[in-house]
């Protein structure tokens, strides 16, 4: 499951991108809002108390470091992690920087998944809109289809690779609380940005509010 769900999420995201335009579709925006609410809730309900239970006084610092790391990563990814590309720069070059920053992001996200099914669902749901926006961007850029496909495959295997590394390297487990704290920082930044951007200009939107409440409730009750 842990290796299949994140891969499946990218495939679903790719298929979605073939049928609807992520930048304008209402359904896509609702999915994005739901993914942000669910990811934030699972982080706050499960992962956050867990790292503080370790009793280490430095975990708070590592959470903030993770948040900073995500801010830095978004300088090159332009916000794909929270569901859109701010800058519509269509060039013929292969977007190496985008790939590298997304790989770091997705690899780290794989770490805490061995311990929590809910988090696994949260990351998988979060990667569906990310993969959709990424597919749309790649296919509209001037790189070849094979390059675009390769990009998606590399991105897709990063999260399972992170989970695998956590399960197989003793040294990583020794620093588990710190690594998970960094991932919490990433989750907090990504999910709150999704929710922030979901209510642009603070205009009331009933359907978005409903899916956000649904995301929180599902994370709480499941
Ligand atoms: Zn943004
Ligand atoms: Zn992510």
């Amino acid at each position: 499951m842990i290796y299949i769900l994140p891969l499946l999420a990218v495939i679903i995201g790719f298929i979605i991108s073939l049928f609807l335009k992520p930048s304008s579709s209402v359904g896509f925006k609702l999915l994005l809002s739901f993914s942000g609410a669910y990811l934030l809730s699972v982080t706050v309900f499960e992962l956050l108390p867990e790292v503080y239970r370790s009793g280490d006084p430095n975990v708070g610092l590592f959470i903030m470091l993770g948040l900073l790391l995500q801010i830095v990563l978004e300088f090159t990814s332009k916000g794909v992690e929270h569901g859109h590309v701010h800058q519509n720069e269509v060039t013929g070059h292969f977007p190496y920087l985008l790939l590298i920053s997304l790989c770091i992001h997705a690899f780290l996200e794989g770490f805490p998944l061995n311990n929590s099914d809910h988090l696994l669902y949260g990351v998988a749901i979060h990667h569906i809109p990310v993969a959709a926006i990424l597919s749309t961007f790649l296919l509209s850029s001037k790189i070849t289809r094979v390059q675009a496909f390769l990009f998606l495959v590399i991105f897709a295997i990063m999260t399972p690779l992170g989970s695998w590394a956590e399960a197989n390297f003793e040294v990583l487990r020794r620093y588990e609380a710190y690594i998970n704290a960094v991932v919490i920082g990433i989750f907090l930044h990504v999910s709150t940005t999704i929710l922030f951007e979901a209510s642009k200009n603070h205009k009331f939107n009933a359907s978005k509010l409903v899916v956000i409440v649904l995301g929180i409730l599902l994370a709480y009750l499941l």
Side-chain angles (χ1 to χ4, degrees):
M1 266 314 238
I2 199 153
Y3 299 115
I4 293 167
L5 272 189
L7 290 176
L8 201 65
V10 175
I11 297 170
I12 295 172
F14 174 73
I15 294 170
I16 287 177
S17 79
L18 298 177
F19 293 101
L20 44 88
K21 246 181 125 191
S23 54
S24 56
S25 154
V26 174
F28 180 82
K29 294 217 164 88
L30 292 179
L31 171 67
L32 189 61
S33 299
F34 176 81
S35 76
Y38 187 82
L39 188 64
L40 179 61
S41 307
V42 180
T43 304
V44 170
F45 295 152
E46 290 186 18
L47 200 54
L48 202 56
E50 191 194 301
V51 297
Y52 275 105
R53 259 198 303 273
S54 71
D56 194 305
N58 292 321
V59 290
L61 188 64
F62 279 86
I63 292 176
M64 296 317 288
L65 277 176
L67 202 128
L68 275 175
L69 173 67
Q70 184 56 35
I71 291 174
V72 172
L73 290 176
E74 284 178 19
F75 289 147
T76 49
S77 72
K78 306 293 173 198
V80 177
E81 299 94 324
H82 56 258
H84 66 99
V85 188
H86 273 287
Q87 171 192 295
N88 236 352
E89 203 184 285
V90 180
T91 64
H93 304 294
F94 188 80
Y96 287 105
L97 281 175
L98 174 65
L99 180 61
I100 292 167
S101 80
L102 277 177
C103 281
I104 296 170
H105 169 92
F107 181 70
L108 286 170
E109 280 181 336
F111 278 84
L113 306 188
N114 289 311
N115 304 325
S116 164
D117 278 349
H118 298 148
L119 215 51
L120 173 64
Y121 303 147
V123 169
I125 294 168
H126 151 61
H127 278 183
I128 293 173
V130 173
I133 200 85
L134 200 56
S135 308
T136 309
F137 170 73
L138 291 171
L139 293 178
S140 70
S141 75
K142 290 188 187 107
I143 63 170
T144 65
R145 302 228 148 197
V146 176
Q147 284 177 318
F149 180 72
L150 258 175
F151 189 116
L152 285 172
V153 168
I154 295 171
F155 168 67
I157 60 174
M158 277 299 143
T159 299
L161 198 65
S163 310
W164 177 85
E166 201 269 346
N168 287 283
F169 291 100
E170 183 64 40
V171 60
L172 291 175
R173 246 165 301 146
R174 209 173 314 146
Y175 298 105
E176 194 184 26
Y178 293 152
I179 297 173
N180 284 354
V182 168
V183 180
I184 287 173
I186 293 174
F187 285 157
L188 286 180
H189 186 270
V190 168
S191 56
T192 51
T193 308
I194 291 172
L195 295 179
F196 165 73
E197 291 185 352
S199 59
K200 276 260 162 77
N201 306 322
H202 307 288
K203 242 180 84 197
F204 179 72
N205 184 319
S207 47
K208 269 184 192 160
L209 193 63
V210 168
V211 294
I212 289 170
V213 172
L214 195 69
I216 297 169
L217 280 178
L218 276 177
Y220 187 71
L221 298 173
L222 281 181

